[in-house]
Structures are given as structure tokens and as C-alpha cells.
């Protein structure tokens, strides 16, 4: 299962140490080297899973200087894995420059997928996931953060934001100011860990809950925020996929003057990925208008 000359990008747990996949364990046991963002942080996880492979540091500050060494090693016929402190490397984590350099040098890069806080938080947010945008960490200073939020304010799809404990309250306050108090959101804290907490509600409700309890200001956070206008919809079909629904309407309006309604529903259902009954009911509604 292991190929020579290959760099594996291996996802590790975001909290619960048993969330390391069986394939990841086997691979990490057999590669020639593991490059880790912080070797001291990763060693307990590796040892817990019986992984004794030689581990070297590769982080934000030495990534550029390590690249030629890694490439030389892979060229010589060895294999290596890149891991970071938590989750999927390159997702708000080091590795981009190394992966790009490997590509440019014709060296194979292969993923070993697994946890990421983005997908874990989205999966339990109860907000539309048919389209979303991951925007990483907001700027640290409030003025820059508000400008950054302003650029996201009119997007119709769900936003996923990372935040640290030092700034969680200030960031939520800026979100209320710029995106408005009423948007639906989920604050996902300490996912897969002992104090995992999910707070669902309007942005202002979540801010109040976090402000009121110092424990809610500790740990690691993902903020999942409904897009503009979509999160308040009461139409089930739109809640299920607002972006799809918009495309659906456009498709139906285009086809209705030219085709029988059943054909419109069939085509729209295939083109927009919604079921045929939803497309048919929508077409009926629009025909009546
Ligand atoms: N590569 C990681 C991933 O795939 O999710 C993200 C690394 S980034 C440096 C760290 C941030 O991810 C944290 O500040 C937090 O926003 C989020 N995060 C990581 N683990 C988390 C967890 N267990 N619960 C909530 N958020 C988490």
C-alpha cells in the first residue's frame, strides 16, 4: 500500500486520539519519515498508536528551508508523511509550499483523508451545507476584522470561521455588528474532546451565552454562520439547499415556455440535483404565477 517517492498528506485527530484512521496508522508506521508541525505535540499520539517512525519538524518557520531536503529524500526513493498538530494539513496549517514544490518537481503527493474541524463543525451545525465558504481565521484587530466581515456579509452561503479563545468574544461582537444580530449560527467548541459544546442560535444569542460563561471562552472554536437571508427561510425546499433552489427557479423559468411541465420537472430535477417531485411542485407554483 506504500509507494516510494511519495509524500503522504495525513489527517490526524482534532481532539479524540482514536480518530486516526486505520490506514493513517499503517502508513505512518511504514513511511521512512514523518514531518510534523510540532514533534513534541505529535509524539504522544504517534506512540499511542504504536508508531515509532523517525519524526522531524516541519512548521511555518522552517517549511521553506526544509523543502529541498524533503524533495531530495523523496527523490532518493524514500517515502514521507506530513502531519500537523490537528486535523488536515494545509487547512489553516503548514504544507502548501511543500506540496506545491513536490508538484513542480514531479513528485507524487497523496492524501490520507480524515478529520478537519471545518467538516466536523459543518456536519453538526444544522445549517445548509450544499454550499459553504471556509474563510479561516479573521484578522486579529477589530477594524480589520470588520472590513473582512463586510466583504462576506452579502454571501448567500454558509460561512465557516476559525477562532481562538483570546478573541472569541470580540469576534462574535463584530459579527453581530457587521452581519446583524439575527443570523443563525452554531458555535462548535472543543469538538471530539471532553468539553465538546455546540451552541445553536442567533448570532446575538450565541454572543450572550459565551459572554455569560467563562468556560465557553476556553478551547478551540469553529463558527458556522448562515448566509445572508438563507438561514431564516421557512420553505423546507429552500432550507434544504438554497443555492440549488435559486438555480432551480432559473431553470424552470427558462424551460416552462417551451416544454410540457412534466418534461420541465424532469430536466430541472436532473440539472439542479433535486428530486423530481420538488421540481414538479416548484414548476406548478411558478406556472400559476
Ligand atoms: N488543520 C486543522 C483542521 O483541519 O481543522 C486546523 C488547524 S488551525 C491551526 C486550528 C484551529 O482549528 C483552531 O484554532 C480552531 O479554530 C479549529 N479547531 C481545531 N480543532 C478543533 C476542535 N477540536 N474543536 C473546534 N475547533 C477546532
Amino acid at each position: 500500500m506504500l509507494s516510494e517517492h511519495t509524500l503522504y498528506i495525513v489527517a490526524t485527530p482534532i481532539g479524540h486520539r482514536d480518530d486516526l484512521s486505520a490506514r493513517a496508522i499503517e502508513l505512518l508506521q511504514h513511511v521512512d519519515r514523518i514531518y510534523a508541525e510540532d514533534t513534541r505535540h505529535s509524539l504522544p499520539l504517534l506512540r499511542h498508536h504504536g508508531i515509532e517512525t523517525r519524526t522531524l519538524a516541519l512548521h511555518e518557520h522552517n517549511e521553506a528551508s526544509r523543502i529541498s531536503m524533503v524533495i531530495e529524500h523523496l527523490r532518493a526513493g524514500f517515502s514521507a508523511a506530513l502531519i500537523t498538530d490537528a486535523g488536515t494539513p494545509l487547512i489553516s496549517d503548514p504544507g502548501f509550499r511543500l506540496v506545491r514544490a513536490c508538484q513542480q518537481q514531479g513528485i507524487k503527493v497523496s492524501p490520507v483523508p480524515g478529520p478537519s474541524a471545518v467538516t466536523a463543525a459543518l456536519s453538526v451545525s444544522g445549517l445548509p451545507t450544499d454550499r459553504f465558504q471556509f474563510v479561516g481565521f479573521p484578522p486579529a484587530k477589530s477594524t480589520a476584522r470588520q472590513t473582512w466581515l463586510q466583504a462576506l456579509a452579502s454571501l448567500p452561503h454558509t460561512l465557516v470561521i476559525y477562532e481562538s479563545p483570546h478573541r472569541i468574544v470580540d469576534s462574535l461582537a463584530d459579527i453581530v455588528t457587521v452581519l446583524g444580530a439575527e443570523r443563525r449560527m452554531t458555535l462548535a467548541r472543543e469538538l471530539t474532546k471532553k468539553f465538546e459544546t455546540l451552541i445553536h442560535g442567533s448570532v446575538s444569542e450565541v454572543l450572550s451565552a459565551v459572554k455569560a460563561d467563562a468556560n465557553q471562552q476556553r478551547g478551540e472554536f469553529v463558527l458556522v454562520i448562515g448566509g445572508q437571508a438563507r438561514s431564516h427561510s421557512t420553505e423546507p425546499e429552500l432550507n434544504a439547499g438554497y443555492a440549488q433552489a435559486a438555480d432551480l427557479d432559473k431553470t424552470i423559468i427558462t424551460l416552462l415556455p417551451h416544454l410540457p411541465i412534466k418534461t420541465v420537472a424532469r430536466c430541472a430535477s436532473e440539472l439542479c440535483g433535486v428530486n423530481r417531485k420538488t421540481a414538479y411542485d416548484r414548476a406548478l407554483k411558478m406556472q400559476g404565477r
Side-chain angles (χ1 to χ4, degrees):
M1 79 161 219
L2 190 74
S3 304
E4 294 172 345
H5 304 283
T6 301
L7 173 68
Y8 293 93
I9 306 297
V10 182
T12 60
I14 57 168
H16 198 300
R17 61 190 187 179
D18 290 334
D19 287 341
L20 188 65
S21 75
R23 181 171 167 239
I25 294 171
E26 202 187 333
L27 206 129
L28 291 170
Q29 282 168 338
H30 292 102
V31 284
D32 297 297
R33 266 184 204 170
I34 298 172
Y35 293 99
E37 184 181 6
D38 179 345
T39 51
R40 274 174 314 171
H41 176 96
S42 294
L43 279 178
L45 174 81
L46 298 174
R47 297 299 176 256
H48 171 75
H49 289 287
I51 298 160
E52 301 285 340
T53 308
R54 184 171 177 215
T55 302
L56 301 175
L58 191 146
H59 44 71
E60 220 190 317
H61 307 293
N62 74 353
E63 185 179 355
S65 60
R66 278 268 193 223
I67 287 176
S68 51
M69 184 191 101
V70 179
I71 287 182
E72 212 175 289
H73 184 246
L74 293 165
R75 276 246 171 84
F78 294 101
S79 58
L82 176 71
I83 60 172
T84 50
D85 289 353
T88 302
L90 281 83
I91 307 300
S92 289
D93 263 344
F96 167 73
R97 284 177 286 191
L98 177 61
V99 168
R100 174 162 290 183
C102 285
Q103 275 176 3
Q104 285 167 345
Q105 299 291 322
I107 290 169
K108 190 173 164 200
V109 182
S110 183
V112 182
S116 181
V118 181
T119 44
L122 269 173
S123 70
V124 291
S125 69
L127 287 158
T129 52
D130 54 306
R131 267 184 216 182
F132 64 87
Q133 188 169 344
F134 170 60
V135 288
F137 288 94
K141 298 244 163 70
S142 182
T143 318
R145 189 160 56 225
Q146 291 201 10
T147 309
W148 182 86
L149 285 165
Q150 201 62 57
L152 305 171
S154 60
L155 297 173
H157 47 254
T158 298
L159 296 171
V160 185
I161 298 176
Y162 281 170
E163 194 45 287
S164 72
H166 327 289
R167 292 195 271 272
I168 188 67
V169 171
D170 292 347
S171 274
L172 284 168
D174 282 343
I175 289 169
V176 171
T177 306
V178 179
L179 304 185
E182 295 309 318
R183 287 224 195 176
R184 308 308 299 170
M185 73 166 288
T186 290
L187 179 138
R189 186 175 81 89
E190 294 287 271
L191 291 170
T192 76
K193 301 186 204 175
K194 187 172 175 195
F195 295 110
E196 177 181 285
T197 318
L198 294 172
I199 308 178
H200 308 283
S202 69
V203 169
S204 59
E205 285 165 351
V206 172
L207 171 61
S208 304
V210 172
K211 263 183 162 171
D213 180 357
N215 285 326
Q216 297 305 328
Q217 297 166 29
R218 299 204 173 104
E220 300 193 278
F221 301 88
V222 183
L223 312 178
V224 187
I225 304 175
Q228 191 189 45
R230 350 183 8 182
S231 46
H232 317 304
S233 171
T234 50
E235 280 196 57
E237 77 211 60
L238 297 191
N239 270 339
Y242 223 78
Q244 275 178 351
D247 293 340
L248 183 65
D249 286 359
K250 228 194 236 170
T251 309
I252 292 171
I253 287 171
T254 313
L255 298 179
L256 259 183
H258 310 289
L259 295 168
I261 190 160
K262 275 193 175 164
T263 315
V264 170
R266 184 165 44 78
C267 295
S269 125
E270 279 170 24
L271 288 169
C272 306
V274 298
N275 75 41
R276 206 176 285 186
K277 180 160 181 349
T278 304
Y280 185 75
D281 290 348
R282 192 76 189 152
L284 265 185
K285 242 191 210 173
M286 297 181 78
Q287 197 177 45
R289 277 184 192 162

